[in-house]
């Protein structure tokens, strides 16, 4: 493929995921994303500031010194209209959750979005659930009706098994998905 260069021949389904440490913050000079704001979030330091303020943690994947993608995780609370987990004898409307905050990949990658999401789900199950109550993983799926056709990430999350937290929000505005 023309213009893919540094990402040529990479198997993104196997790429390592690393915690964003101060030494890795200088990566990302050539990062390109289908949504420019996700380049800005990285380059203008929003993510780094949020990490410093303990508002999220960020993990990245890279090919040598080229940032390939990033994902942030933060604590969340899922609230639903109808009680859930009745069959488990709980019947609550509010649940502890982990949120996927920002997720973005370089547009020259393939399959990295799924790789980062599958890593995050596995990470929450193996590392977070054993030490603190977490029942759901949430994401506010980006939906932008100012472009034609509308930019809609809900299909990406549906493929991963996410469902609308509120089925009545299934069309239109930003929606919270849960798994
Ligand atoms: C959303 C994003 C992370 C997806 O990552 P990606 O690497 O493009 O996704 P993958 O290549 O792993 O694609 C996985 C599958 O999801 C599909 N998919 C990707 N985006 C989709 C969308 N918006 N709607 C439906 N399906 C989608 C792909 O076609 C692919 O399907 P396939 O396996 O049948 O070929 C990426 O497009 C991105 O960085 N977007 C800009 C930032 C953004 O919108 N982040 C999400 C904020 S909530």
């Amino acid at each position: 493929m023309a213009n893919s260069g540094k990402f040529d021949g990479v198997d993104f389904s196997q790429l390592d995921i690393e915690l964003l440490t101060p030494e890795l913050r200088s990566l990302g000079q050539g990062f390109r994303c289908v949504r420019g704001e996700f380049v800005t979030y990285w380059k203008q330091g929003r993510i780094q500031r949020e990490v410093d303020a303990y508002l999220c943690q960020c993990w990245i994947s890279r090919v040598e010194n080229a940032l390939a993608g990033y994902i942030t995780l933060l604590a969340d609370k899922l609230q639903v209209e109808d009680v859930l987990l009745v069959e488990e004898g709980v019947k609550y409307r509010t649940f502890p959750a982990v949120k996927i905050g920002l997720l973005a990949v370089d547009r020259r990658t393939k399959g990295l979005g799924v790789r980062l999401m599958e890593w995050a789900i596995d990470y929450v199950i193996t590392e977070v659930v054993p030490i603190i109550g977490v029942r759901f993983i949430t994401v506010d799926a980006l939906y932008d009706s100012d472009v034609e056709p509308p930019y809609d990430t809900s299909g990406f999350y549906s493929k991963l098994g996410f469902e609308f937290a509120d089925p009545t929000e299934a069309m239109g505005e930003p929606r919270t998905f849960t798994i």
Side-chain angles (χ1 to χ4, degrees):
M1 186 179 19
N3 208 20
S4 42
K6 55 196 172 187
F7 297 125
D8 277 350
V10 174
D11 179 358
F12 292 98
S13 69
Q14 302 293 321
L15 219 51
D16 282 346
I17 315 287
E18 302 169 75
L19 184 68
L20 176 62
T21 55
E23 311 81 70
L24 295 175
R25 291 180 177 192
S26 58
L27 301 180
Q29 296 312 312
F31 188 63
R32 297 186 204 166
C33 185
V34 292
R35 296 286 304 192
E37 68 267 40
F38 287 81
V39 177
T40 306
Y41 297 152
W42 180 274
K43 289 191 179 172
Q44 294 191 352
R46 166 179 161 169
I47 295 167
Q48 292 80 354
R49 283 193 298 278
E50 289 188 358
V51 169
D52 288 342
Y54 303 106
L55 300 179
C56 71
Q57 283 294 355
C58 178
W59 282 263
I60 66 142
S61 58
R62 60 178 163 141
V63 176
E64 296 178 3
N65 284 328
L67 179 70
Y70 65 82
I71 187 167
T72 68
L73 299 180
L74 61 154
D76 194 18
K77 177 173 76 173
L78 175 69
Q79 281 184 294
V80 291
E81 285 289 312
D82 299 323
V83 291
L84 294 176
L85 308 188
V86 177
E87 65 286 4
E88 296 176 41
V90 178
K91 295 189 197 170
Y92 288 171
R93 287 191 175 83
T94 303
F95 299 93
V98 169
K99 172 171 273 188
I100 310 292
L102 297 171
L103 166 68
V105 300
D106 191 290
R107 65 177 188 231
R108 295 160 292 184
T109 65
K110 180 66 194 144
L112 185 56
V114 165
R115 164 76 181 127
L116 285 164
M117 284 299 300
E118 289 181 344
W119 171 86
I121 293 165
D122 185 63
Y123 182 78
V124 169
I125 291 169
T126 58
E127 303 291 334
V128 185
V129 166
I131 59 165
I132 192 163
V134 173
R135 182 64 199 224
F136 292 97
I137 295 176
T138 59
V139 64
D140 294 335
L142 179 60
Y143 180 84
D144 179 4
S145 58
D146 288 342
V147 292
E148 190 49 44
Y151 180 80
D152 185 357
T153 55
S154 60
F156 172 74
Y157 293 109
S158 298
K159 276 190 178 167
L160 287 160
F162 281 70
E163 296 175 9
F164 290 102
D166 176 356
T168 63
E169 292 180 354
M171 300 298 291
E173 289 309 298
R175 289 92 4 128
T176 300
F177 271 79
T178 65
I179 199 162

